[in-house]
Amino acid sequence: MRIEVAWWDLGADDPEPDELAASPAIQQAFGEWERVPNLTTKLWLVSRDARRWGP
């Protein structure tokens, strides 16, 4: 099993997590991840209060 976590601290000038998730580039990445062989789960984590976001 392999687990990879990427977690970004968003600054005051960065977009909100919902804006990031709705962006065309992220939507394209969602589609690409769905086609990864043997990948059973892909989670995107959001902490709106702490302004953190990531897969």
Side-chain angles (χ1 to χ4, degrees), residues 5-27:
V5 177
W7 191 240
W8 292 276
D9 290 320
L10 301 174
D13 295 333
D14 292 325
E16 293 294 323
D18 292 335
E19 293 176 64
L20 291 168
S23 77
I26 296 299
Q27 291 299 314

Side-chain angles (χ1 to χ4, degrees), residues 5-54:
V5 177
W7 191 240
W8 292 276
D9 290 320
L10 301 174
D13 295 333
D14 292 325
E16 293 294 323
D18 292 335
E19 293 176 64
L20 291 168
S23 77
I26 296 299
Q27 291 299 314
Q28 180 180 348
F30 288 161
E32 291 171 4
W33 277 105
E34 289 176 353
R35 294 187 295 275
V36 173
N38 300 316
L39 180 68
T40 59
T41 303
K42 170 74 172 168
L43 303 173
W44 288 78
L45 307 172
V46 175
S47 175
R48 287 177 181 81
D49 293 338
R51 294 195 44 81
R52 293 187 179 119
W53 181 81

